[in-house]
Structures are given as structure tokens and as C-alpha cells.
Amino acid sequence: MLSPVTPEFLAPLQASLPEAVFRAEPTGYLTEPRGRYQGQGTVLTPGSTDEVAQIVRACAQARVGIVPYGGGTGLVGGQIMADGPAPIILSLERMRAIRAVYPSENVLVAEAGVILADVQAAAEAEGRLFPLSLASEGSARIGGLLATNAGGVNVLRYGNARAQCLGLEVVTAEGAVWHGLNRLRKDNTGYDLRDLMIGSEGTLGIITAASLRLMPQPAQHGTAMFSVASPVAALELLALTQAQLGEAVSAFELIHRQGFDFLAEVGPEITPPFATPPEWTVLIDLGLSQGVDPVEALSTLFEAAMEAELTDDGVIAQSSAQRTALWAIRENIPEANRRIGSVSSHDISVPLSEIPAFIEQGAKAIAALGELRINCFGHLGDGNLHYNVFPVQGKSRADHEDIRGKVKETVHDLVHSFGGSVSAEHGIGRLKVNDMTRYGDPTKLVMMRAIKTALDPLGILNPGAILDPL
Amino acid sequence: MLSPVTPEFLAPLQASLPEAVFRAEPTGYLTEPRGRYQGQGTVLTPGSTDEVAQIVRACAQARVGIVPYGGGTGLVGGQIMADGPAPIILSLERMRAIRAVYPSENVLVAEAGVILADVQAAAEAEGRLFPLSLASEGSARIGGLLATNAGGVNVLRYGNARAQCLGLEVVTAEGAVWHGLNRLRKDNTGYDLRDLMIGSEGTLGIITAASLRLMPQPAQHGTAMFSVASPVAALELLALTQAQLGEAVSAFELIHRQGFDFLAEVGPEITPPFATPPEWTVLIDLGLSQGVDPVEALSTLFEAAMEAELTDDGVIAQSSAQRTALWAIRENIPEANRRIGSVSSHDISVPLSEIPAFIEQGAKAIAALGELRINCFGHLGDGNLHYNVFPVQGKSRADHEDIRGKVKETVHDLVHSFGGSVSAEHGIGRLKVNDMTRYGDPTKLVMMRAIKTALDPLGILNPGAILDPL
């Protein structure tokens, strides 16, 4: 059983650590973006790996829980511990050094508290690309992004957060430091603890720094939005696009008309690229090497897609401003969703070829639950859809409290029946612990529990996230 | 303490499993490619995942060791248990089904015993590429390739074996089956057991099947060999090549003149592309998307490299036959090395920018040990060099028995001092257990031991590989 943080517990830490570690007020650390959890605890903001280790050792000795805290942008409550003995909220925000950049190696070493946009900027300053990109990049921090294996819009080409990481520095549950910040592309010396830590949401260790892989910057970018006749046509267009353009396809996003309708209904105001939004649209982004003209490449693609009857309308960005305008549609849909207020949101993935059947069956299953609207959009190229269910006009989220659980269960059951995942990119946190137990492979759950017990025998690291508390 | 296989142990298995499981003679399973270990044990060849699980349960009950066996091509003794109570050698060779191919998803599901070349062919039959490629692809099997996280020549572009895998089916040390064969690009539901199993060399579970990621086939290939003035110039040429051609660069291999000299000295006979081999050469391979002419792209690169004084001679393949001829040089160097007979071979990686200093200091350190020849070649783009030390002409490997250990230690100490890895792609097996203990991070070793104990508490899975036996 864990102990709560007490003044007696804090006193020796206050005596030995700098004042800056204690300056933070808990306000702001106790809520999360969707406002569904109210946290508790004492915030500490260590300035170095050694200070993190010292705090963890104290917590291990007193068996006090630790909730690691990055940018606070997580959507599944991984950063918020609402119940149980008050924990230490260990915010990495003061560890914001970019320790080194090795442009000739395409490597950058960043501390856990560095904000994603700052890593992107540091890479760009050296003529390189750090390809991880997502809506919260202005506040999400590297430690949290890796701990949750964040996704975003460039996964199709560059992979998720895991794929961007070459090495980690981690403080273990005992307060020891694993110095694993290697800059190597290949290292087969023992178990892959790096990937085990990535995505473990702070339950197996606390990431304090990471060596990150940079990429060459594409010489040219191209963006287009094509109507597609159906999800089947969207998948065929994806295959055609990849056949023509290979890895140059950075993003391939699906947008349902509902997204355009929501934007028109509640904003943010955008300039629609089509007079009448098609039922289905795809947003295609290319990063091309030298010598390939993006407009020409996208025109060739459009003609082939027309010929194959996959599309009948399209817009190809002719300038950087037009690229931004097309992306603004996709990027503002989550905000429109927030303004409407979902009955239930789902971050799911299914095998690519099952997407059309999933969308069809999902519509039927939701219709059977009541009069609702579905906004289905997202990273089609990754099989990852944000499948969100909304009230009809004139009704609100609050009018559907009674069926919220049923909506979620219906969607997740369907996803599971297609061999899909009920958390494609957001993680488990505390919100989806029961889903994982319900849908997870039993042998996997046994192994996960064994690993948790092996690496955190006292159960002090992010108690209740991913797995029920010990 | 483990028990040896006995007739009493085998009797109930013989009663319940098909005869085909027992037909294999141990001959051929007890030696390895370099002839350094002599194995022992009883070979079983289960035909299904259930049969694997049944065997593992019997071994767990009697505490009999299990050495998982793929194609037998490993170079570090992971597939050979020379000491201790005679184990079951569990060969996956009869599990050779390609269970499914999903071309529209770029996914293929293969059992552990499928040979790499057969996966490549099955992908090609669907117009797709399975990019893992290495010298032993005609005999290495998928299970072993994943268990050892194999590398090869395409890692620069496509990543190592780990990057090709979407999901696994694994029999645990208890004989339970983890059904993790998902076909998803994104799945953040819990700990990354897939990557933990990959590279664990059969010590944490037995891979019985894998879902594998396929890639679009490049529309065109280009190959060239350029002289380079030095390793520094080779790195600058790599940067230039990537700046011009982005991810189209599939391979970037470094060859020292010693390789050409060995080929001339002992064969295999090849056609040298240069009248006099330059001291350093790079082999560049491109896989290009539609509309980019490979010869033109490589000519543009060559001109820029000339202007930057990185090269003064080059050959660009004008045909598929010429491509094959250029690659034959690279691919025959390991055979020439075998014919010469190395004093000590090293599969190492160092951070990319440290390669020139490593090569320079390595030459000095080896020269201090005696009159020896170094053949340094390999996957420069990955920072992975095969750094092999040979006798001079007229002397043999046997003449240097006394300094072999010292040579290895000298090279590995130097690698370690540069922040490198003493096993870049071959793994730890039994050959490098002491190296890992010597150079490994102590906290990492503690965590590895904890995970091994958690997932294989009886220590029956590949005893003595990676970690000393329990």
C-alpha cells in the first residue's frame, strides 16, 4: 500500500534540493485537456537527472507514488491520479536543455522537458527535420511524447515517437540511472529496454533525456485535397499514391463531410476548398526530393485517380499559403469537435483493408443507439481513425449521459471484432485500463504484470496507469 | 538447476505428438557457421504453435532447457548450447506456412520457420518489397531473424528486422501463447512486448509467427561505386547523397582496398571496377520512385562529389547485370575473409561522426599488437563496420592464437571509448556475454536480469544466451 506525501516526507528533500524544485503550485497540474479528471498531489520540478533520481529514491523509501508529468496534453488521464494516497507529481518542465546536436549524424539529444516545437526548431536550424508533428506540439514535451509513444500526422512516412528515438536516459523505480543515450543506428547488445520504456507511460521508469533521430528535410512539399467516392476509393487512392510516389507520401488523412459541416456550424472559420463538401475527402501531403515538382506529381496523381474513377474533384496547393489553408481544415476539425462536444470519442485503428467495412458497420451500430452524428476522420494511411460520436443539432453531450458508456462499448467491441486497437495513439492512461483488460490478450496482460512487478516492485511509478495499482 | 533431456522426459511427448516432431537427427544442429562451438541436445521439430506450447510446458515441468533454432546462421553461438544439461533443440523448420498476405495493407503473416528468401519472393509475387536482406537470406528463418533483430544491407533505408515487424505470436516460458499477430500500424495498448521479444534471442519467449510490414517496390534501382579520398570524405559523400536523394538511398557501404586485395589473393574471382583499387570505396544503392532516372541521378551526384573533391573516380551501373557485378564485390568480401581466416572479427558500431577517428586509432592500436592486416568494411550509413583483423600473407590464423584475445579486447575497448556497440547486428548469443557484462550499463544489466527472471523464472529459455544461466 502506498503512503501519501506528507510534510515529514518532504522535509529532507527540502533540505537537500534547490528551492526551484518546490516552487510550483499544483494548480494547472491537476486537470487535463478534456476536464474529466481532478488530480491531487505535490508538484516537484527537478532540474537535473540526479535530482530526479534523488526524489525517486526518497519515494521508494517511503513508498510514495510518483506521477511523471510532461506537457499535460495527454488525453487518457495518464498524467492525473485522482484517487489513492496523494502522490508526487514529478514535472520535467525545468529539464529543457537540448544537450547536443550532431548534424552529420542526424542526431539530437534532448532532455525530457523540451517542448516538441523547440526540438523541431533546433533540427530546422541545422537544416534537418524532426518529423514528429501533432496538434499539441507547442506544449507537449519530449519525455511525455516518448512515454506515450505519440503519433500524429507524419507516422505514415516516419513512424511514431518510438521510431524517432535512438536512446534514452531513464531513472528507474529504485532511483538508479540507466545511461542509454546512445547515438547508434544499430546496437544489438541485450534486451530492447528503450522500446519497453517508450509507451510505458511512466510506469516502468522516468525518461529524463533522449537521443533522437533527425531526417533530411524534403527539398519540396506538395499538398492536395481530393474528393473520394467512398472509403474503398480512399484506400485505392492511397495505394495508387504510394505506388507513384513511394515514401514521399508524408500524410494521407481522411475527412468526412461531417467535419466540414461542424466547421461551418461552430467554426473555427475556414475557407472550404470545395463549393459543396464531398462526403469523403482525403488530404495528401508529400515531401519530395530534389528535381521532382510537387504540383506536377500531384497533377499526374489526380489524372490517374480520375481515370480510375476514384475522385472527381481536387485542389492542389500552388503555394505555401495554400498548403497551410488546406492543412488548416484538417487541424481545426478537433477544435470544432470540442465546440460541438462529443458523446464519446475513440482513438482506434483497424487493419487497413477492414476500414470500409468498419465504417459501414459502425454507422449502423451507432444509428441503432439513437439519433447521433459521427465524425470519422484521421490518419487513414496508418489505419488510425478518430471515430467520434456527437449529438444532433439542438442536443448536447449532457443529453446523452445515459448512452455514453454504451456508445463507447459498441465502437470498441466492433473495433476489437475487426482485430483493431482501442487505443491507436493516445495510450491507456487511466481512462482505458478497463478496455485493455477487456480486449487485451490474456497472456500479454500476464507478461505486462510480471514486467511491472519486476521493474517497479513497490508500485510507485504512475500508480494505476496502464495497470491497476499493485 | 536445469535437468537434462532423458528418455523418460521424452516418452510422454512421443506418446502425444506426431512422429514428424521427432524425426530430426541432431547432426547439423550442433555446429555453427564459424565452427567454434559444439552443441548437444535432442532436436524436436514441432509443426504448429500448439505443439511448440506443449513441448515448452513439458520442459517447464521438468525444468529442461530449450534452445530455439531457426536457420542456424547466427554468428554468436545463440543457437548452440555447448555446456550444461542437454537441452531440447527446438527447431521451427516445419512451421513454414505463409499464413496470409494482405497486399492492400502491405502486410504478410509468416510462421517462424519461413526462410527469408521465401518471404521476399512472396512479397514480390504481390508487387511488394520485403526489404530485409542479408548474406544468409537463403537459409535464415523469420523467427531467428526477429529473435536476433538481424540487420543487413538495407537498414539505412528500411531499418533492421525490428522495423519490419508489426506483431508476433509467441510461446512463453510457461507454454502459454501470446496472440499478438496484429496488422496495425499503430497500437498503443500497453507495454511493447513485441520489441522486447525481438532481439531477446529466444531467452524470453519463442516466436512462432510474425506479421510483417511490406513496402512498395521502388520503380527503379541505381547502383554506383565511387572512390573516396578518406573515411571523412565517405561521410561527407553520404551526407551529400542523402541531401540529394533523401530516403531513396537504400544502401551506403564502405569498402577498404584490403577487401579487393583479399579477393585478388584468394577469390572468389570478381571483375574489379577500377584498374587500381582506391584505398577507400563506397557502394551506393538507390531505389527510386517513378520519373527519376537512376543513371542521371547518380551522374548528378558524381559531378557534385567531384566538385567537392570527395571522389576522383566512379562507376555507375548501366544495366541490371552491372548492378549485380558491383554488388558481387561487396557480397564476396565475407567469403574472401573466411578463406584468409581472421585472427579476430568484430561487428561494431560507433556514432557516425566518430568513424574516421575510430578507423585511425584502430589502425594504430592493432599495429602495436603485431604485423596484422585490417579489413574494415560494411554498412557505413548505419555506423556499422565489420572490423576484421587478419594475419599477413604467409601467416595463418593459427599463428596468432596468443594475441586473439588481446586483439578483440583492443578493438572492443576502443569501440566502447567512442560510445559504440560491440554487437551492432549479430547479437550477444553466448560469444559476447562477457563483453556485455564488461561494457554494458550496470542499471541496464540489472533491469535485463529482472525481466528475464520475471518472464522465465525457471531459466529454461535458451539458457546461457545473453545472460549467464540463472
Side-chain angles (χ1 to χ4, degrees):
Chain A
M1 189 60 191
L2 296 174
S3 306
V5 176
T6 59
E8 295 69 40
F9 168 77
L10 287 171
L13 286 173
Q14 280 159 334
S16 62
L17 290 170
E19 246 180 83
V21 174
F22 302 90
R23 70 177 168 187
E25 286 298 309
T27 333
Y29 296 86
L30 306 182
T31 54
E32 42 82 53
R34 291 186 178 161
R36 304 202 182 158
Y37 291 92
Q38 179 59 42
Q40 44 152 1
T42 301
V43 179
L44 299 186
T45 56
S48 69
T49 304
D50 280 348
E51 290 177 11
V52 173
Q54 199 179 327
I55 293 166
V56 174
R57 284 193 298 269
C59 290
Q61 205 174 358
R63 206 166 177 174
V64 164
I66 301 168
V67 178
Y69 197 93
T73 62
L75 296 172
V76 289
Q79 73 277 40
I80 297 280
M81 181 173 155
D83 308 312
I88 291 294
I89 298 167
L90 195 143
S91 170
L92 283 301
E93 67 197 65
R94 288 180 56 235
M95 292 186 61
R96 288 184 70 160
I98 290 179
R99 290 193 191 160
V101 188
Y102 304 90
S104 70
E105 297 178 10
N106 283 324
V107 174
L108 179 153
V109 180
E111 292 186 342
V114 182
I115 286 174
L116 174 51
D118 294 338
V119 174
Q120 293 167 343
E124 203 179 334
E126 299 287 350
R128 299 294 186 277
L129 174 71
F130 184 65
L132 193 66
S133 175
L134 34 76
S136 62
E137 62 197 26
S139 41
R141 297 176 194 274
I142 286 299
L145 289 159
L146 289 170
T148 59
N149 187 29
V153 292
N154 286 335
V155 175
L156 179 63
R157 177 173 190 163
Y158 296 105
N160 48 21
R162 170 169 290 128
Q164 318 313 323
C165 182
L166 296 171
L168 292 176
E169 180 185 88
V170 170
V171 173
T172 70
E174 284 185 321
V177 181
W178 166 37
H179 298 281
L181 281 182
N182 87 38
R183 287 143 53 198
L184 307 171
R185 304 286 156 160
K186 280 176 160 180
D187 177 22
N188 272 348
T189 53
Y191 300 156
D192 182 9
L193 301 184
R194 177 190 68 204
D195 286 318
L196 183 64
M197 290 293 166
I198 295 173
S200 71
E201 303 186 28
T203 65
L204 300 179
I206 297 168
I207 295 171
T208 51
S211 47
L212 301 169
R213 180 185 75 152
L214 305 180
M215 299 299 288
Q217 285 181 328
Q220 283 145 128
H221 293 274
T223 304
M225 200 171 260
F226 293 176
S227 73
V228 282
S230 65
V232 171
L235 283 177
E236 286 174 19
L237 181 58
L238 171 64
L240 181 68
T241 308
Q242 291 187 315
Q244 286 198 0
L245 293 152
E247 289 103 323
V249 190
S250 310
F252 197 96
E253 300 280 308
L254 182 71
I255 299 173
H256 186 256
R257 186 177 51 215
Q258 193 66 69
F260 289 99
D261 292 351
F262 280 1
L263 287 164
E265 193 176 323
V266 295
E269 204 178 323
I270 55 112
T271 315
F274 302 106
T276 311
E279 186 172 4
W280 294 101
T281 306
V282 296
L283 176 66
I284 303 171
D285 207 74
L286 306 179
L288 294 154
S289 55
Q290 197 167 289
V292 189
D293 180 67
V295 173
E296 205 177 297
L298 287 163
S299 302
T300 305
L301 176 66
F302 182 71
E303 280 158 33
M306 283 277 281
E307 198 161 314
E309 296 183 9
L310 302 176
T311 184
D312 60 6
D313 203 357
V315 180
I316 296 172
Q318 307 289 327
S319 67
S320 165
Q322 287 183 15
R323 286 191 66 219
T324 307
L326 288 180
W327 268 104
I329 297 165
R330 167 65 182 85
E331 284 167 352
N332 278 308
I333 289 175
E335 175 57 26
N337 287 346
R338 265 186 291 273
R339 294 183 186 179
I340 300 274
S342 77
V343 175
S344 183
S345 307
H346 317 92
D347 162 42
I348 58 103
S349 64
V350 291
L352 223 53
S353 66
E354 307 282 12
I355 286 178
F358 169 78
I359 288 176
E360 195 187 322
Q361 293 182 33
K364 281 186 198 152
I366 295 300
L369 296 177
E371 212 192 348
L372 295 160
R373 296 187 289 182
I374 298 166
N375 191 8
C376 169
F377 68 105
H379 318 301
L380 184 74
D382 310 317
N384 175 196
L385 299 174
H386 298 300
Y387 191 90
N388 299 350
V389 179
F390 296 86
V392 292
Q393 273 189 295
K395 296 245 181 184
S396 80
R397 171 179 163 80
D399 297 325
H400 297 289
E401 287 299 336
D402 54 327
I403 60 164
R404 172 165 311 142
K406 189 65 193 163
V407 170
K408 187 176 289 293
E409 189 181 299
T410 301
V411 174
H412 284 180
D413 281 357
L414 190 63
V415 165
H416 185 63
S417 76
F418 278 106
S421 168
V422 298
S423 185
E425 60 176 12
H426 295 164
I428 297 298
R430 292 174 174 82
L431 183 67
K432 293 188 177 176
V433 172
N434 291 338
D435 287 309
M436 199 179 58
T437 313
R438 180 182 174 108
Y439 301 111
D441 178 83
T443 303
K444 177 179 172 179
L445 293 172
V446 168
M447 286 195 280
M448 283 176 56
R449 172 60 72 189
I451 290 169
K452 171 70 174 174
T453 307
L455 296 186
D456 179 21
L458 299 172
I460 60 172
L461 292 179
N462 215 0
I466 296 194
L467 295 165
D468 286 322
L470 287 184
Chain B
M1 188 62 189
L2 296 174
S3 306
V5 175
T6 59
E8 295 70 40
F9 168 77
L10 288 171
L13 286 173
Q14 279 159 335
S16 63
L17 290 171
E19 245 182 84
V21 174
F22 301 90
R23 70 175 168 189
E25 287 298 308
T27 334
Y29 296 86
L30 305 181
T31 54
E32 41 82 53
R34 291 185 178 161
R36 304 204 181 156
Y37 292 92
Q38 179 59 43
Q40 45 153 359
T42 301
V43 179
L44 298 185
T45 56
S48 70
T49 304
D50 280 349
E51 289 177 11
V52 172
Q54 199 178 328
I55 293 166
V56 173
R57 284 194 297 269
C59 289
Q61 205 174 0
R63 206 165 177 174
V64 164
I66 302 168
V67 177
Y69 198 94
T73 61
L75 296 171
V76 289
Q79 72 277 40
I80 296 281
M81 182 174 155
D83 308 312
I88 290 294
I89 298 168
L90 196 142
S91 171
L92 283 301
E93 68 197 67
R94 289 181 55 236
M95 292 186 61
R96 289 184 69 160
I98 291 179
R99 289 193 191 162
V101 188
Y102 305 91
S104 70
E105 296 178 11
N106 282 323
V107 174
L108 179 154
V109 180
E111 292 186 342
V114 183
I115 286 174
L116 174 51
D118 294 338
V119 175
Q120 293 167 344
E124 204 181 333
E126 299 286 350
R128 299 294 186 280
L129 174 72
F130 184 65
L132 193 66
S133 176
L134 34 74
S136 61
E137 62 197 27
S139 41
R141 297 177 192 274
I142 286 299
L145 289 158
L146 289 169
T148 58
N149 187 30
V153 292
N154 286 335
V155 175
L156 179 63
R157 177 173 190 163
Y158 296 104
N160 48 20
R162 169 168 291 129
Q164 317 313 323
C165 182
L166 296 171
L168 292 177
E169 179 185 87
V170 169
V171 173
T172 70
E174 284 185 319
V177 181
W178 167 38
H179 297 281
L181 279 183
N182 86 39
R183 287 142 52 197
L184 307 172
R185 304 286 155 159
K186 281 176 159 179
D187 177 23
N188 273 347
T189 52
Y191 300 156
D192 183 9
L193 301 183
R194 178 191 66 204
D195 286 318
L196 183 64
M197 290 293 166
I198 295 173
S200 71
E201 304 186 28
T203 64
L204 300 178
I206 297 169
I207 296 170
T208 51
S211 46
L212 302 169
R213 182 185 73 152
L214 305 180
M215 300 298 289
Q217 284 180 329
Q220 283 144 130
H221 293 274
T223 304
M225 200 171 259
F226 293 175
S227 73
V228 281
S230 65
V232 171
L235 283 176
E236 286 174 19
L237 180 58
L238 171 64
L240 181 67
T241 308
Q242 291 187 315
Q244 287 198 357
L245 292 153
E247 289 103 324
V249 189
S250 310
F252 198 95
E253 300 280 309
L254 182 70
I255 300 173
H256 186 255
R257 186 176 52 216
Q258 193 67 67
F260 289 98
D261 291 352
F262 280 0
L263 287 163
E265 194 176 322
V266 295
E269 204 178 320
I270 56 112
T271 315
F274 302 107
T276 311
E279 184 171 3
W280 294 101
T281 306
V282 295
L283 176 66
I284 303 172
D285 207 75
L286 305 179
L288 293 155
S289 56
Q290 197 167 289
V292 189
D293 180 67
V295 173
E296 205 178 295
L298 287 163
S299 302
T300 305
L301 176 66
F302 182 70
E303 279 157 35
M306 282 279 279
E307 198 161 312
E309 296 181 12
L310 302 175
T311 184
D312 60 6
D313 202 357
V315 180
I316 296 172
Q318 306 289 327
S319 67
S320 164
Q322 286 183 17
R323 287 190 66 218
T324 307
L326 288 179
W327 269 103
I329 296 164
R330 167 64 183 84
E331 285 166 352
N332 278 307
I333 289 174
E335 176 55 26
N337 286 346
R338 265 187 289 275
R339 294 183 187 181
I340 300 274
S342 78
V343 175
S344 183
S345 307
H346 316 92
D347 162 43
I348 59 104
S349 65
V350 292
L352 223 52
S353 67
E354 306 282 10
I355 286 178
F358 168 78
I359 288 175
E360 194 187 323
Q361 292 182 34
K364 280 187 199 152
I366 296 298
L369 297 177
E371 214 193 346
L372 295 159
R373 296 187 289 182
I374 298 166
N375 190 8
C376 170
F377 67 105
H379 318 301
L380 185 74
D382 310 317
N384 175 198
L385 300 174
H386 298 301
Y387 191 89
N388 298 349
V389 179
F390 295 86
V392 292
Q393 273 189 295
K395 297 247 183 182
S396 81
R397 170 180 165 81
D399 298 326
H400 296 289
E401 287 298 336
D402 54 326
I403 60 163
R404 172 165 311 143
K406 189 66 194 163
V407 169
K408 187 176 290 292
E409 189 181 302
T410 301
V411 173
H412 284 179
D413 281 358
L414 190 64
V415 165
H416 185 64
S417 76
F418 277 106
S421 168
V422 299
S423 185
E425 59 175 13
H426 295 165
I428 297 297
R430 292 175 173 81
L431 183 68
K432 293 189 176 175
V433 172
N434 291 338
D435 286 311
M436 197 179 59
T437 313
R438 181 182 173 107
Y439 302 111
D441 178 83
T443 302
K444 177 180 174 179
L445 294 173
V446 168
M447 286 195 280
M448 283 175 57
R449 171 60 73 188
I451 290 168
K452 170 72 174 174
T453 307
L455 297 187
D456 178 21
L458 299 172
I460 60 171
L461 293 178
N462 216 0
I466 296 194
L467 294 166
D468 285 321
L470 288 185

